Each structure stands twice: as structure tokens, then as C-alpha cells.
Amino acid sequence: MKRFSGRTALISGGLGDIGRAIAIELATHGADVALCGLRPASEAEPFLIELRALGQRVTYDAVDVADADAVQVWVERVEAALGAPTLIIPNAAQVTQSDFQRLTPQQWNRELRVNLDGAFHMAQSAALRLLEHRKPGRIVFIGSWAGHRVHSDIPAYCVAKAGLRMLCQCMALEFAPHGILVNEVAPGIVDAGLSCKIMSGNAELRESVRQMTPVKKLIVSQDVARAVTFLCDPENLQMAGSVIVQDGGLSLLAPRPCTR
Ligand SMILES: NC(=O)c1ccc[n+]([C@@H]2O[C@H](COP(=O)([O-])OP(=O)(O)OC[C@H]3O[C@@H](n4cnc5c(N)ncnc54)[C@H](O)[C@@H]3O)[C@@H](O)[C@H]2O)c1
């Protein structure tokens, strides 16, 4: 019997780099997996085939998490197909590289609608189903170290991820008595996905990030997926409102004044 046998996992942004790693990890441990993302279903098929080869049932729906109604319909559709999701991973996000002087109200709005509202829509819709069924579950938000460290080039992203942290803690307090444990994984600079797009084609930048990171190694998607698995583990019953910061020590660094 695998660790997550009989469970259904719900993962937004499931075709992104970290979303895929989480899907593979949870499916490997026996969970059926429902993914959503912005891409059309036809583009998901090769990855769904890979996941099904792990022996699990898998679905994909094109859903914009900023649309509360669409998220609710998705959650209900997944429940009908695979059973009520008990492992809920709001992972979808975007990043706008712009300082405040150039950021448009539309960009600000969209970033918060996707990264913060989208996570809320998904967590709330799924939690309401669990409450109705009187089932325990896990919600693991994929946050970021940018939720607690200022990055002047991506301020809207930082604000959304800071909001996500408080969303996690408020939900954790309300839902813990119902056996729904809510936590967050906050990666640093991952050698994948959103950061990779920024570092791509710039080997020098990538190497300087590695050198700057206290553990001298870049985080990979599988590291994030393993932290999600740890928080979802049925044996892990004490963590609620916790944040696993996975940044290789980056957020411990402070700028040092020049002493010579
Ligand atoms: N890559 C990093 O360095 C890093 C660092 C810290 C945190 N994170 C977080 O990890 C998570 C995954 O990011 P990633 O790096 O794999 O990026 P990614 O771009 O590979 O994946 C993000 C996925 O979300 C989807 N998405 C975007 N907007 C959406 C919407 N409105 N509705 C549904 N799906 C949507 C995208 O299509 C994409 O598939 C995000 O929450 C991100 O903030 C990433």
C-alpha cells in the first residue's frame, strides 16, 4: 500500500516545472492526480501519458484560477471523476518583472488575481467540499521567499506571495480543528520555471546565483515536490500554518557594509 493510495491530489499550474514535479511525486506515492493550467488540454496529453504510466488516474482541465466560478466547476468535475480531492496544491503563478514606476494597474491586478486570489479560490472551493464530506485533508500553498524578502524588480509578485502567507495562516487556524492542515512551501531561486525563464541564456547569472546561495547549490523542482510530500504525509499531523523555506539560506543574507 502506497502512502497516498486512495487519495486525489489537485494541482494548479500542473504543466509548469514545479507542478509537474509535484504531480510525479504524489502519483509515485499512489495519489490520483487532477491538474489544471492555462494551456489547452491537447498540450497536456504527453504529460498525462507519463503520469498514467505510474499506475494512477489522471485528469487535466484548462482553467484560469483567477476565475472563481471556473475553479469551483473544476473542483466539482474532479470530485465526480476521481473522488473528492484531499491533497490540494495551489501552485499556479505568474511573475511580472517591473518596478513600481513602470508597473501598470492592469499588471498589478492580474498578478494579485492569479497568484493570491487564484490560490484562495482553489483552497476555499476544495476545503468546502472536504467540510461537507467531513473528510480530513491537506492544503499546501506554493509560496516564495519573495513573500518575506523584498525584490525591487518583482514587487507585485512579492506582495501577492506575502498575502499568500497570511492566507495560509488564517486558513490553517480555521480548518485545523476539522482535520484540514494548511501549510506552505516557500522556495528560493529554483533552477526551473519562473526563475529559469529569467536566467535562461545567462549562464553567468545562474552561476552567480549558485555562488551567492549559502549552500552553494541551486534548488530543483524535485526538492519542492519532496517538501510538499512531507507536508501531505498522513503521519505528519502536527504542522498547521507552517512555512518550509527552501532557499538554500538565501534569505539569511544581509547586505554587508564595506569595512575597508
Ligand atoms: N521557479 C522559481 O524559482 C520559484 C521560486 C519560488 C516560488 N515559485 C513558485 O512555484 C510555483 C510554480 O512556478 P514554476 O516556477 O514552476 O513556474 P512555471 O511557469 O513553470 O509554472 C507555473 C504554471 O502556472 C500556470 N498558470 C499561470 N497562470 C495561471 C492561471 N491564471 N491559471 C492557471 N494556471 C496558471 C502556467 O501556465 C504554468 O504552467 C509558483 O507558485 C511560483 O511562484 C517558483
Side-chain angles (χ1 to χ4, degrees), residues 88-169:
I88 296 116
I89 323 294
N91 165 72
Q94 60 167 51
V95 62
T96 303
Q97 277 185 281
S98 169
D99 62 20
F100 278 126
Q101 293 175 59
R102 276 163 280 267
L103 189 69
T104 67
Q106 292 75 16
Q107 287 173 319
W108 167 265
N109 233 310
R110 181 68 185 157
E111 196 100 335
L112 270 84
R113 299 261 304 121
V114 173
N115 297 4
L116 180 57
D117 298 4
F120 161 71
H121 297 146
M122 180 172 162
Q124 189 202 37
S125 286
L128 287 174
R129 304 301 303 146
L130 290 176
L131 290 173
E132 195 175 317
H133 295 302
R134 296 179 187 275
K135 274 190 163 187
R138 302 297 164 90
I139 298 173
V140 182
F141 290 108
I142 307 303
S144 170
W145 74 309
H148 63 266
R149 282 300 296 258
V150 172
H151 293 59
S152 54
D153 54 337
I154 50 169
Y157 182 82
C158 291
V159 171
K161 292 293 185 181
L164 190 74
R165 185 147 308 172
M166 187 51 72
L167 169 66
C168 169
Q169 292 176 353

Side-chain angles (χ1 to χ4, degrees), residues 12-20 36-39 63-67 90-95 110 113-115 142-146 157 161 164 185-197 199 221 224:
S12 63
L15 297 184
D17 286 348
I18 293 174
R20 283 173 192 252
C36 87
L38 291 177
R39 316 292 280 269
V63 177
D64 180 348
V65 293
D67 179 341
N91 165 72
Q94 60 167 51
V95 62
R110 181 68 185 157
R113 299 261 304 121
V114 173
N115 297 4
I142 307 303
S144 170
W145 74 309
Y157 182 82
K161 292 293 185 181
L164 190 74
V185 176
I189 301 172
V190 184
D191 196 12
L194 298 179
S195 297
C196 222
K197 282 166 205 152
M199 292 191 288
S221 300
V224 181

Side-chain angles (χ1 to χ4, degrees), residues 196-215:
C196 222
K197 282 166 205 152
I198 295 170
M199 292 191 288
S200 73
N202 192 339
E204 214 172 292
L205 173 63
R206 193 173 167 281
E207 179 54 20
S208 78
V209 169
R210 192 186 71 76
Q211 284 295 341
M212 182 178 69
T213 306
V215 300

Side-chain angles (χ1 to χ4, degrees), residues 8-30:
T8 298
L10 199 62
I11 306 169
S12 63
L15 297 184
D17 286 348
I18 293 174
R20 283 173 192 252
I22 296 169
I24 290 170
E25 184 79 7
L26 294 179
T28 300
H29 290 288

